[in-house]
Amino acid sequence: MEANYYSAVNATKASIDSMVGQQAGRVVFLSSQAGHIGLFGFSAYSASKLALRGLAQALQREMTPHNVRVTVAFPPDTDTPGFQHELQGKPKETMLISETAGLLKPQDVAHTIISDSLKGEFTSYQGIDGWMLANISAGMSPATSLYKVIEQFLLMGILRVVGLFYLASFDSIVLKCKKERETEKQKKS
């Protein structure tokens, strides 16, 4: 929570008054695809990234009268030194689940986030998995275009079903890894 949530709160507190005074500005929060969905092995991480989404929604409501726009980005795994460090303690299950979205280059992620923010998008995502997660979890997030609202309305049902297949696949990965550990444990006994 300190690194992922409170740091964003503190940075926003330090800069928001200036934006309100200028009656213009942009706030960008860096969440994660794990901010859309709770992932195995990422209980604390997912919770902190989901908290950013709530902060972004509330802040957008508060800042709309001041012409300050909020974007919350939900990138997948990105090839950074932090990601390389994360791999050292990441459970096998989490690695296998995360692989479904691929590994992106930081410059591509940054380009998309900046572009989306400058266009006034509330949600920034990458790839088909990101698009699906953004649509299926749109809920009460600010709408930035009629097209996106219609897209979400028409696709919500089918994306929910697709999402259930993803979840079943994730559960299958977790159970397979559990069985592998149990088999290894029996062999050592």
Side-chain angles (χ1 to χ4, degrees):
M1 289 299 286
E2 280 296 325
N4 295 329
Y5 178 73
Y6 290 116
S7 62
V9 169
N10 292 332
T12 303
K13 281 182 178 180
S15 60
I16 202 73
D17 287 342
S18 174
M19 292 183 216
V20 169
Q22 295 174 33
Q23 290 294 292
R26 301 206 183 279
V27 177
V28 178
F29 294 115
L30 187 58
S31 184
S32 163
Q33 283 188 352
H36 282 301
I37 178 175
L39 288 177
F40 179 96
F42 272 13
S43 297
Y45 181 78
S46 286
S48 69
K49 294 300 189 172
L50 279 159
L52 282 175
R53 180 187 185 92
L55 173 64
Q57 288 177 345
L59 188 64
Q60 180 62 74
R61 295 284 173 243
E62 294 169 3
M63 292 298 109
T64 295
H66 305 289
N67 195 34
V68 175
R69 297 290 170 249
V70 176
T71 299
V72 59
F74 298 93
D77 286 340
T78 305
D79 193 11
T80 63
F83 174 74
Q84 296 304 320
H85 177 71
E86 173 188 305
L87 289 176
Q88 296 170 7
K90 192 183 251 187
K92 180 180 179 181
E93 295 90 335
T94 311
M95 282 195 251
L96 293 170
I97 290 168
S98 296
E99 288 175 355
T100 61
L103 182 65
L104 295 179
K105 295 177 184 175
Q107 58 270 28
D108 294 339
V109 171
H111 179 268
T112 300
I113 293 169
I114 291 168
S115 174
D116 287 344
S117 175
L118 292 175
K119 288 189 286 186
E121 297 290 348
F122 177 76
T123 303
S124 179
Y125 58 84
Q126 282 85 21
I128 190 76
D129 288 342
W131 172 82
M132 183 188 78
L133 288 168
N135 279 289
I136 202 168
S137 65
M140 294 297 289
S141 294
T144 55
S145 77
L146 180 58
Y147 170 78
K148 287 190 178 198
V149 171
I150 293 169
E151 177 182 73
Q152 291 161 357
F153 175 77
L154 294 175
L155 295 175
M156 187 63 71
I158 189 76
L159 291 177
R160 175 66 174 144
V161 173
V162 171
L164 290 173
F165 280 102
Y166 269 80
L167 293 174
S169 170
F170 298 164
D171 289 343
S172 174
I173 289 169
V174 170
L175 290 173
K176 181 180 176 188
C177 289
K178 179 183 181 225
K179 286 180 183 178
E180 288 174 3
R181 280 193 304 277
E182 289 172 349
T183 301
E184 284 296 316
K185 188 176 179 182
Q186 288 176 350
K187 287 179 182 179
K188 290 180 181 180
S189 300

